[in-house]
Amino acid sequence: MLPDARPATAPRRRADAERNRAQILAAAERLFAEGDPRTVTMDRIAKAAGVGRATLYRSFPDPASVAVALLDEHERLLQGQLVYGPPPLGPGAPAGERLAAFYLAMLDLLEKHLPLALGAETGPERFRTGAYGFWRVHVRTLLVAHGAEDPDALVDTVLAPLGPELFAFQRHELGLSVERIGTSLTTFARRLLHAGAPA
């Protein structure tokens, strides 16, 4: 009786899928960085990656989902620092200092990966991403710990300055530096959750 070849076939298929995914993500990152992320289409991604449209659509339904996958790795690193890292970004610092550190970390992420953020987190879809949900829980936790009144109504207002479209406008149309934006946001964070108030 011939040996069953199926166990060898499945790993090979998985390896092919992983290779295709890596090609797709590498090609898409180049495309998002080259120009307006809103002009990136599935056709352009497939051609740049050297894969068929069917292969691309098996992994991703649209360009935004490709951008989300690329951005996810960078955001997961920051999420780990918020939960396990040293203060003030991680636990152990007053709420105002943690919020200020979060603002600075997010500005750094936006500065480094703005094309991806614009491709993944603009418009109403921004509020449906897993990352936004994580940032929302984190900031709401700081508001609750500080004793803020109605944190559910306030949390999205506190996150609003980190919208990719707003950051792009401030940086590239108004010409504000990251440092200047950061100073404004950290001052806001400390005044909102000022030292000596409920903790």
Side-chain angles (χ1 to χ4, degrees):
M1 186 169 66
L2 291 174
D4 190 347
R6 282 176 297 179
T9 303
R12 185 164 61 247
R13 285 179 182 161
R14 284 196 294 271
D16 289 344
E18 286 301 315
R19 185 175 63 251
N20 288 336
R21 180 181 172 85
Q23 288 177 218
I24 290 165
L25 293 177
E29 187 148 31
R30 290 194 302 272
L31 290 174
F32 281 118
E34 284 172 0
D36 187 342
R38 291 166 293 190
T39 67
V40 177
T41 64
M42 294 296 270
D43 278 340
R44 290 182 64 197
I45 294 172
K47 288 176 184 174
V51 301
R53 283 169 53 89
T55 298
L56 177 58
Y57 277 101
R58 272 196 294 272
S59 298
F60 303 102
D62 51 41
S65 64
V66 182
V68 167
L70 285 165
L71 194 59
D72 182 62
E73 181 177 344
H74 305 299
E75 290 177 326
R76 278 190 287 112
L77 291 173
L78 176 53
Q79 289 166 6
Q81 292 176 313
L82 292 173
V83 176
Y84 303 111
L89 192 56
E97 292 305 313
R98 292 200 69 194
L99 181 59
F102 171 66
Y103 274 143
L104 293 178
M106 283 296 295
L107 291 178
D108 183 61
L109 188 148
L110 286 169
E111 178 71 4
K112 291 177 179 175
H113 306 291
L114 183 59
L116 294 180
L118 288 170
E121 298 183 349
T122 56
E125 291 305 312
R126 175 181 180 228
F127 305 107
R128 299 186 182 99
T129 64
Y132 186 84
F134 188 97
W135 311 140
R136 198 177 192 281
V137 169
H138 175 65
V139 172
R140 186 185 181 282
T141 300
L142 297 180
L143 295 174
V144 169
H146 186 74
E149 199 171 320
D150 202 351
D152 290 315
L154 183 59
V155 61
D156 299 296
T157 302
V158 177
L159 284 167
L162 300 173
E165 290 165 310
L166 175 59
F167 182 79
F169 173 72
Q170 291 182 310
R171 286 287 289 121
H172 302 298
E173 293 195 39
L174 298 182
L176 300 179
S177 68
V178 177
E179 291 75 18
R180 190 173 172 188
I181 299 169
T183 297
S184 175
L185 287 181
T186 54
T187 299
F188 168 73
R190 290 170 180 137
R191 287 179 179 172
L192 178 68
L193 304 179
H194 52 283

